[in-house]
Amino acid sequence: MTSPSSALVASAAGSRARVLGGFTPAWPAAVALGPALTARAVPRDNLALHRAIDEVTPGEMIVLDGGASLDAAFCGDLLALAAQRRGAVGLLVNGAVRDVLGIAAVGFPVFHRGTSPLKPGKEVPGELRVPLEIDGVRIESGDLVVADLDGVVVVAAGDVERVVADAATLEAEEDELRARIEEGASTLDLMNLRERLR
C-alpha cells in the first residue's frame, strides 16, 4: 500500500478516526503520516518546538499546540529544515508559521492555522509528550497522525494496526472501482445505488 491519504484513513477508521479541520499545508502537495510527538507551547514563544525537534525520533510527526495563536509564528523555514534533518516526517502547528515559501523550498510538510511575519520569543520550555486537546480532539504521543490537503486525521495508537490493515483493503477495493469506472461502468451500479432512486 502507498502512504494512505487522510481521506482513505478516515474512511477505513470510521468512528475510530478523529478529524481536525482548519489546518492548511504550507505547500499544496505536502503529505505527512507518522506517530505523534506532542508538544505544548505558549503564544509568542517557540522554545517548546526547538526542544521537540531536538528530541524527535526519526519517523515521528511533531504536533505543536500553540493555542491556535496567530500573534507570532512558531515555525519558519529554518526550523522546518532542522526538523527535516532530524528525521521528523512532518509538523502540525496549532498556530501561525512564517517563511511559507521557504518551507515549500525545503520540502518539509508543515500544516498550520495561519501565518504571521513576527518572530517568537524563546523563553518558555513548554511540555513534551503530553496529551493535547485541539478543537476537542485528544492527541497523545504515539497516536497516528495523517495530514494532507484534505485535512488531518488522528487514530489512537491502539487502533493503528487494525486501521492500517483496513485502509489497505479499502485501497484495493477503490482501485478495482477506479478500473471499472475507466471501463465505463456507472457508479450507480458499482455502488448499488439504483434502488435509492426508486
Side-chain angles (χ1 to χ4, degrees), residues 95-120:
V97 303
R98 67 179 189 170
D99 305 324
V100 173
L101 292 178
I103 292 172
V106 169
F108 182 67
V110 174
F111 300 81
H112 59 85
R113 289 287 200 183
T115 59
S116 171
L118 298 176
K119 70 177 183 179

Side-chain angles (χ1 to χ4, degrees), residues 50-105:
H50 285 267
R51 289 181 61 204
I53 291 170
D54 186 66
E55 295 188 22
V56 70
T57 299
E60 286 185 313
M61 181 164 176
I62 299 171
V63 178
L64 180 77
D65 184 8
S69 173
L70 304 180
D71 292 340
F74 290 98
C75 177
D77 58 347
L78 292 179
L79 283 187
L81 177 61
Q84 182 186 65
R85 292 296 183 263
R86 299 289 290 190
V89 296
L91 170 62
L92 182 71
V93 180
N94 186 27
V97 303
R98 67 179 189 170
D99 305 324
V100 173
L101 292 178
I103 292 172

Side-chain angles (χ1 to χ4, degrees), residues 5-80:
S5 67
S6 64
L8 186 66
V9 171
S11 295
S15 61
R16 294 168 294 185
R18 294 165 280 168
V19 178
L20 281 170
F23 285 88
T24 302
W27 40 287
V31 176
L33 179 151
L37 186 173
T38 59
R40 182 179 290 118
V42 299
R44 292 180 174 268
D45 194 292
N46 73 348
L47 185 54
L49 180 55
H50 285 267
R51 289 181 61 204
I53 291 170
D54 186 66
E55 295 188 22
V56 70
T57 299
E60 286 185 313
M61 181 164 176
I62 299 171
V63 178
L64 180 77
D65 184 8
S69 173
L70 304 180
D71 292 340
F74 290 98
C75 177
D77 58 347
L78 292 179
L79 283 187

Side-chain angles (χ1 to χ4, degrees), residues 83-183:
Q84 182 186 65
R85 292 296 183 263
R86 299 289 290 190
V89 296
L91 170 62
L92 182 71
V93 180
N94 186 27
V97 303
R98 67 179 189 170
D99 305 324
V100 173
L101 292 178
I103 292 172
V106 169
F108 182 67
V110 174
F111 300 81
H112 59 85
R113 289 287 200 183
T115 59
S116 171
L118 298 176
K119 70 177 183 179
K122 295 165 178 54
E123 303 293 335
V124 183
E127 300 174 280
L128 298 187
R129 302 191 185 279
V130 293
L132 305 177
E133 186 167 311
I134 300 174
D135 295 348
V137 172
R138 184 178 175 88
I139 306 173
E140 298 188 37
S141 283
D143 289 352
L144 179 69
V145 179
V146 186
D148 55 28
L149 191 56
D150 286 336
V152 180
V153 177
V154 180
V155 176
D159 293 329
V160 169
E161 186 175 346
R162 176 67 183 273
V163 169
V164 169
D166 289 348
T169 300
L170 180 59
E171 184 178 46
E173 292 171 354
E174 289 189 351
D175 285 345
E176 175 63 22
L177 288 174
R178 197 169 286 109
R180 296 286 303 282
I181 291 169
E182 289 281 358
E183 294 168 357

Side-chain angles (χ1 to χ4, degrees), residues 176-181 184-193:
E176 175 63 22
L177 288 174
R178 197 169 286 109
R180 296 286 303 282
I181 291 169
S186 169
T187 55
L188 289 174
D189 295 323
L190 292 174
M191 300 180 184
N192 300 314
L193 298 175

